[in-house]
Amino acid sequence: MIDPDAAPSGDGCAECTAAQPPGWWFHLRRCAACGHVGCCDSSPAQHATAHAHATGHRVVQSYEPGEDWLWDYRAEVYARGPQLAEPRSHPADQPAPGPAGAVPADWQQRLHA
């Protein structure tokens, strides 16, 4: 369920970054099983949850600087587990929402509640 040695897939949401044109996210979540970085449920595309449903990887960790909480999608509770491999967040100079240049001016109206 958790692989503390799995490296994060990148600095941003894997699917948003690969999209043409690139998508954007509000906050990022890192899969604790494989390291996939996806966007949170407040983000338009909700890729972290989609990854959890598609793979059965049920635990994510916040990928935001200064946050280290884990969430278990199946149990719908905060979880406990080992510290994940570095880096444990996107770069501190990366904006949230992000990525820089892809966030629309009306981003607050596009968030999921």
Side-chain angles (χ1 to χ4, degrees):
M1 192 163 65
I2 295 176
D3 179 355
D5 298 321
S9 61
D11 291 340
C13 175
E15 291 83 1
C16 288
T17 302
Q20 290 301 319
W24 64 277
W25 54 81
F26 184 49
H27 292 295
L28 297 170
R29 307 294 179 241
R30 174 184 174 181
C31 178
C34 72
H36 174 272
V37 176
C39 51
C40 72
D41 284 351
S42 294
S43 301
Q46 304 175 340
H47 287 124
T49 297
H51 172 80
H53 290 296
T55 63
H57 297 169
R58 62 190 268 186
V59 178
V60 293
Q61 184 175 51
S62 173
Y63 201 54
E64 295 297 318
E67 297 181 3
D68 63 359
W69 52 263
L70 296 164
W71 179 256
D72 183 329
Y73 283 109
R74 189 174 306 152
E76 296 185 352
V77 297
Y78 288 99
R80 293 183 184 212
Q83 193 169 64
L84 301 182
E86 292 284 348
R88 286 190 285 281
S89 72
H90 64 76
D93 64 350
Q94 180 176 304
V103 181
D106 65 343
W107 66 269
Q108 288 109 333
Q109 286 76 39
R110 297 180 185 216
L111 294 178
H112 288 267

